[in-house]
Amino acid sequence: MEKIMDSILLSVKSIIGIPVDYVHFDETLLMLINSTFPTLYQLGVDGADGFVIHDENSKWSDITDNKNVIAYMKPYVAYKVKSMFDPGQTTNVIEAMDRYINECETRLLVELKK
């Protein structure tokens, strides 16, 4: 389980409910995951500047060693990807996901100002 949660791709797949050994969506997921890094950089995560993953070997710690920032980046990236990949069927689900994404952004901002 530790390898899954260390790997950016595998942890995103796990969080959004895709079995980690199911690889058919990996290219799409990689593209969507990579699209979140410029926003993370703009929020203040310096290690996200120009960061790109290509496979399951990229780790959260490749971006930063700040465990609190990683704790907020994981769900932020996962739910941003989910909102683009599989947004949900109802307005309530979409709104709840958007609120959680915004909360993660706020918590990242607070953590990065410390």
Side-chain angles (χ1 to χ4, degrees):
M1 186 67 153
E2 185 175 328
K3 178 186 179 197
I4 292 172
M5 294 316 281
D6 287 341
S7 165
I8 296 170
L9 176 61
L10 297 182
S11 63
V12 168
K13 288 171 76 170
S14 177
I15 291 168
I16 67 174
I18 298 174
V20 295
D21 58 347
Y22 190 79
V23 299
H24 300 296
F25 297 124
D26 282 7
E27 289 301 316
T28 301
L29 293 172
L30 289 168
M31 177 188 63
L32 295 173
I33 290 168
N34 285 329
S35 75
T36 67
F37 297 135
T39 304
L40 286 170
Y41 175 67
Q42 289 175 343
L43 289 169
V45 181
D46 289 333
D49 185 25
F51 190 80
V52 176
I53 69 169
H54 301 284
D55 55 33
E56 67 184 51
N57 295 316
S58 298
K59 299 177 183 175
W60 295 104
S61 59
D62 295 338
I63 301 170
T64 182
D65 59 357
N66 184 324
K67 292 185 187 316
N68 291 333
V69 170
I70 291 172
Y72 297 123
M73 277 195 316
K74 284 181 181 182
Y76 173 79
V77 171
Y79 283 97
K80 284 293 280 187
V81 168
K82 183 169 178 56
S83 73
M84 294 180 280
F85 180 75
D86 180 25
Q89 304 269 332
T90 67
T91 304
N92 290 341
V93 171
I94 294 168
E95 288 174 357
M97 207 168 8
D98 286 344
R99 281 192 304 272
Y100 189 65
I101 290 167
N102 289 334
E103 179 182 338
C104 289
E105 286 178 348
T106 300
R107 292 183 182 278
L108 273 167
L109 288 170
V110 169
E111 183 61 35
L112 290 164
K113 288 183 180 181
K114 290 183 179 179

